[in-house]
Amino acid sequence: MEDVATLKIGDREETLPVVTGTENERAVDVSKLRSETGMITLDEGYVNTGAVASSITYLDGEQGILRYRGYPIEEVAANCDFIETSYLLIYGELPTAEQLENFRHSLRRHTLLHEDMRSFYNGFPRDAHPMAILSSVVSALSTFYQDSLNPGDPEQVEISIQRLMAKLPTIAAFSYKKSIGQPFHYPRNDLAYCENFLQMMFAVPTEPYEIDPDFVEALNLLLIVHADHEQNCSTSTVRMVGSSNANIFASIAAGIGALWGPLHGGANQACVEMLERILADGGDVDKYVDMAKDKDNPFRLMGFGHRVYKNHDPRAKLIRVTCDRLLEKMERNDPIFDIAKKLEEVALQDPYFIEKKLYPNVDFYSGVIYRAIGIPIQMFTVLFAMGRLPGWIAHWKEMHASPSKRICRPRQVYMGPTERQFVPLDQR
Ligand code: CMC
């Protein structure tokens, strides 16, 4: 018998198909509900709405499981670098040695920005947030590569994917150099992805720059754990924009805007700013925990809580170890990390956080690691964007490959005034 759900509306009964995923997640398919009953479903914030059937990332928030294309995040992080992880996400399978080498090679070939693009950077104010610059320059890629904007042409899509992956670190590092008034440092194609990014960020023409392999390792891990997280706000944005057949650059630029917000990717910056605020205020962690619990106070503990993870965030678990190791190795006593540890201890024992299942999320530790590497605070979310790029691309590609692709267009329940008579200006 077909798996169905029955919905009773008044004395009418409707049967709705039930879709079962490969991990036995079950969903009631409501796509025909309106045409059959005149009713829609209402779910503000998409708390319980499956917008797509996807084969990229599986996560189980109750058990704290995260898998890319079926492979547990812990195994991916232990065995792959960020480029291999990106290949897995974008193309669906682990690459052979030859496929991986070809992928690395093509990314290396596309790291340079068109020289005319550099002039954009002069137009931005010196204190412009690098996420705004990132989004603008990614959007501007569509003006430089007009020959490859057709989402329906696999060759054009492929070259655009390679350009995006290769150029994003350059765009990001240039935005930082602009903000501190240093000359842009060009990419070096003899270096691997993370090494190259670090030298573009920190090298100056006046002295040699030594790349610290521990920083490279930490950066690789952070990019990997951020690489995809199924239908989060920015990924859904990329899919939403892409569903109109907007080109991939426009879609990713929109995703960067969505990621910027402090409730999403911006939380890593907001988290370290919060830790700095607690430190400057005398380090009284309890005071801030109480503020977060106070219903009349809008303050929230940044880096705590997650829409999906209600047990622990597996990404946080992975990077916490690196965070400890990195700071220990550097023999660096960062008071911010002490505050973070205190906050973590207090919050994990407090009934409010236990009852509401609010655990430290990935942003809680990532900010501290970025800080240890020397990444300036306003670049934290940019690093998140670099990590999330292969996920966005994978979802954009998957959506276009789907035979059931349609433009995304939610409905609404209208609550405004019913028809009223127009009042002319002189009578208002
Ligand atoms: N501090 C204090 N209380 C909190 C927090 C927090 N960080 N997060 C949630 N709550 C409370 C919230 O007030 C609510 O209480 P009540 O039921 O009494 O009204 C309850 O917990 C449920 O919260 P919610 O806002 O309904 O949950 P949500 O799923 O809509 O929001 C969240 C998820 C991540 C936006 C939220 O937990 C939050 O604002 N966290 C801080 C920002 C943050 O760290 N964001 C990064 C998320 S991980 C990176 C990413 O994937 O983007």
Side-chain angles (χ1 to χ4, degrees), residues 63-367:
Q63 295 188 57
I65 294 173
L66 173 62
R67 296 187 201 129
Y68 293 162
R69 301 282 188 185
Y71 299 103
I73 184 68
E74 294 78 11
E75 284 179 33
V76 174
N79 294 291
C80 299
D81 69 358
F82 176 61
I83 297 305
E84 192 172 351
T85 307
S86 301
Y87 187 102
L88 171 68
L89 284 168
I90 295 171
Y91 302 106
E93 294 296 337
L94 287 168
T96 62
E98 192 190 353
Q99 286 168 330
L100 183 56
E101 197 35 52
N102 288 343
F103 189 50
R104 287 190 201 286
H105 178 73
S106 48
L107 295 194
R108 283 186 171 144
R109 277 186 46 224
H110 290 287
T111 52
L112 267 183
L113 299 190
H114 192 292
E115 274 298 292
D116 290 348
M117 260 195 178
R118 290 181 41 156
S119 53
F120 288 142
Y121 288 83
N122 297 330
F124 292 114
R126 172 93 174 263
D127 58 356
H129 196 288
M131 281 297 274
I133 299 183
L134 195 72
S135 172
S136 310
V137 179
V138 167
S139 186
L141 288 174
S142 58
T143 65
F144 285 84
Y145 301 107
Q146 297 182 40
D147 59 341
S148 54
L149 299 181
N150 180 359
D153 180 331
E155 272 177 37
Q156 294 189 27
V157 169
E158 188 51 40
I159 185 75
S160 294
I161 288 173
Q162 289 171 21
R163 284 175 175 148
L164 265 169
M165 285 289 301
K167 291 181 201 305
L168 204 70
T170 315
I171 297 171
F174 280 16
S175 71
Y176 172 57
K177 288 296 196 193
K178 156 80 190 174
S179 73
I180 56 168
Q182 284 185 1
F184 295 147
H185 211 88
Y186 280 87
R188 268 182 50 193
N189 291 354
D190 59 320
L191 295 176
Y193 204 78
C194 290
E195 280 93 332
N196 184 36
F197 175 69
L198 287 173
Q199 72 88 26
M200 284 192 289
M201 283 284 292
F202 300 119
V204 285
T206 44
E207 52 192 63
Y209 172 70
E210 244 179 66
I211 301 167
D212 185 325
D214 288 329
F215 290 5
V216 173
E217 196 187 316
L219 185 57
N220 237 312
L221 177 65
L222 284 174
L223 295 180
I224 291 169
V225 299
H226 283 99
D228 193 42
H229 214 230
E230 51 118 300
Q231 308 309 318
N232 55 85
C233 177
S234 56
T235 303
S236 302
T237 302
V238 170
R239 290 188 87 124
M240 168 79 87
V241 174
S243 77
S244 72
N245 286 352
N247 66 70
I248 194 165
F249 302 121
S251 310
I252 301 291
I256 293 169
L259 187 74
W260 190 4
L263 297 188
H264 188 15
N268 52 18
Q269 173 172 346
C271 178
V272 169
E273 281 168 353
M274 175 192 73
L275 297 175
E276 281 173 345
R277 183 177 154 194
I278 299 175
L279 184 67
D281 194 19
D284 185 354
V285 166
D286 293 317
K287 175 178 159 188
Y288 285 83
V289 171
D290 288 343
M291 276 164 61
K293 284 158 47 178
D294 182 356
K295 272 257 159 262
D296 299 324
N297 192 330
F299 176 78
R300 282 188 170 197
L301 286 187
M302 289 293 124
F304 278 80
H306 199 275
R307 170 62 62 82
V308 181
Y309 292 122
K310 301 299 176 194
N311 177 340
H312 69 269
D313 182 338
R315 305 167 301 170
K317 217 173 170 180
L318 264 175
I319 65 171
R320 188 186 194 286
V321 180
T322 300
C323 190
D324 276 336
R325 210 181 41 220
L326 194 66
L327 291 178
E328 198 178 308
K329 186 166 171 122
M330 291 167 72
E331 289 175 2
R332 184 164 164 173
N333 237 344
D334 191 337
I336 287 296
F337 193 56
D338 294 334
I339 298 277
K341 272 194 162 155
K342 253 194 244 169
L343 190 63
E344 183 197 31
E345 272 165 32
V346 175
L348 285 179
Q349 286 161 15
D350 192 295
Y352 173 94
F353 289 86
I354 296 168
E355 268 160 35
K356 294 189 187 302
K357 300 184 188 300
L358 301 170
Y359 297 87
N361 58 48
V362 67
D363 291 318
F364 187 70
Y365 301 107
S366 65

Side-chain angles (χ1 to χ4, degrees), residues 344-402:
E344 183 197 31
E345 272 165 32
V346 175
L348 285 179
Q349 286 161 15
D350 192 295
Y352 173 94
F353 289 86
I354 296 168
E355 268 160 35
K356 294 189 187 302
K357 300 184 188 300
L358 301 170
Y359 297 87
N361 58 48
V362 67
D363 291 318
F364 187 70
Y365 301 107
S366 65
V368 182
I369 301 181
Y370 290 140
R371 195 180 154 94
I373 298 178
I375 306 276
I377 196 164
Q378 74 274 22
M379 286 295 286
F380 288 4
T381 315
V382 171
L383 270 285
F384 191 155
M386 271 169 55
R388 187 53 56 87
L389 181 63
W392 289 333
I393 293 171
H395 282 273
W396 190 92
K397 255 185 107 195
E398 181 182 68
M399 178 189 62
H400 279 287
S402 166

